[in-house]
Amino acid sequence: MLKKDDSIMVILSSPSGAGKTTISKKIQQKYQNFKISVSHTTRKPRPNEVEGIDYFFLSNDQFKDKIKNNEFYEYAKIFGNYYGTSKKSVIDLLKNKNDVLFDIDWQGTQQLSKHSELKLTKIFILPPSKKELKKRLIQRNQDKPEIVSERLNFYENDLKHKDDYDFVVINDNLEACFKKVEEIILSEKRKV
Ligand code: 5GP
């Protein structure tokens, strides 16, 4: 994989609803050089989601064609839908000398970690408790109740993978959590 020496690549993972998407968007807003790698998915768009900004939305067949053509660095099936990081999106970001933020799950993190040429900083964001996570998933009000309970069921399994990460940050307060993630990223950036 192409890697510009002064770019950094940061993975943010968390159980669904722990706040990682909000945090990655805040980083992108504050630091123009950080760009979120826009994933491809077969999940249906949520009402507020925009094609090409939140995701590239594909049919199952379109996604499977891309798998066949080896277009993904990594992909995973999550909650019954495919999600993947295309090589082209990442290469384009690096060509433009951007720093890259990946909002991907632990399966994608494991696959990207196999690319030893990549200098990845892996951050796992956790909610303060399962109870709080449930509250946030319900408040988010973007998913049907059965999807909320499915996502909660995956929480315990997600937790098992926290040791795959370089940093674990608890999101008990969005601003404080953002600050901690910001500190980690700035310190990694200083190293290059
Ligand atoms: P959501 O449906 O809530 O947008 O995302 C569900 C999960 O899929 C989240 O944990 C998110 O980080 C993960 N995800 C999003 N894009 C990708 C991707 O390209 N690859 C992998 N492995 N996971 C992804």
Side-chain angles (χ1 to χ4, degrees):
M1 187 194 267
L2 179 70
K3 165 80 177 74
K4 283 270 181 277
D5 281 342
D6 50 356
S7 297
I8 66 165
M9 306 179 96
V10 178
I11 298 182
L12 286 177
S13 298
S14 73
S16 183
K20 111 204 109 187
T21 307
T22 313
I23 287 174
S24 15
K25 286 187 176 162
K26 271 171 82 77
I27 290 166
Q28 184 174 248
Q29 274 160 13
K30 185 159 175 186
Y31 298 97
Q32 307 284 305
N33 208 46
F34 274 96
K35 299 282 180 233
I36 299 171
S37 149
V38 180
S39 297
H40 289 68
T41 184
T42 59
R43 168 167 77 57
K44 296 274 168 286
R46 294 183 182 129
N48 56 339
E49 287 180 329
V50 179
E51 164 79 18
I53 293 187
D54 296 287
Y55 283 105
F56 295 105
F57 296 97
L58 300 182
S59 68
N60 264 305
D61 285 346
Q62 287 170 321
F63 200 99
K64 283 180 181 159
D65 277 348
K66 285 188 180 288
I67 296 176
K68 238 192 287 167
N69 296 334
N70 199 20
E71 288 182 42
F72 291 116
Y73 273 126
E74 64 75 29
Y75 68 90
K77 205 166 192 185
I78 307 165
F79 313 124
N81 294 303
Y82 283 108
Y83 293 80
T85 305
S86 85
K87 294 180 181 172
K88 188 179 179 309
S89 322
V90 179
I91 288 171
D92 286 350
L93 290 176
L94 291 175
K95 272 190 192 148
N96 287 332
K97 300 192 173 176
N98 286 120
D99 296 303
V100 187
L101 280 174
F102 295 97
D103 173 344
I104 61 176
D105 82 330
W106 60 268
Q107 302 174 79
T109 303
Q110 285 185 346
Q111 290 175 52
L112 278 190
S113 299
K114 288 185 188 145
H115 292 265
S116 54
E117 76 278 16
L118 291 185
K119 299 262 173 327
L120 295 168
T121 301
K122 297 177 261 184
I123 307 175
F124 199 63
I125 298 174
L126 280 181
S129 64
K130 189 172 179 181
K131 201 170 149 205
E132 177 62 25
L133 181 68
K134 183 175 182 185
K135 204 171 107 194
R136 289 184 196 171
L137 281 170
I138 292 168
Q139 272 169 0
R140 182 161 82 172
N141 203 22
Q142 286 175 338
D143 296 309
K144 294 190 187 117
E146 59 271 25
I147 293 184
V148 168
S149 63
E150 187 188 25
R151 289 185 170 217
L152 270 177
N153 288 338
F154 277 84
Y155 169 70
E156 310 285 351
N157 190 43
D158 286 343
L159 262 188
K160 288 186 198 146
H161 297 280
K162 70 175 177 4
D163 294 340
D164 296 346
Y165 290 79
D166 304 310
F167 301 92
V168 176
V169 180
I170 309 289
N171 182 9
D172 42 11
N173 167 288
L174 189 66
E175 275 313 312
C177 179
F178 171 68
K179 258 202 135 47
K180 280 184 202 149
V181 171
E182 194 180 18
E183 276 164 21
I184 294 169
I185 289 177
L186 292 180
S187 136
E188 292 301 311
K189 192 73 191 152
R190 276 195 294 271
K191 286 184 198 163
V192 289

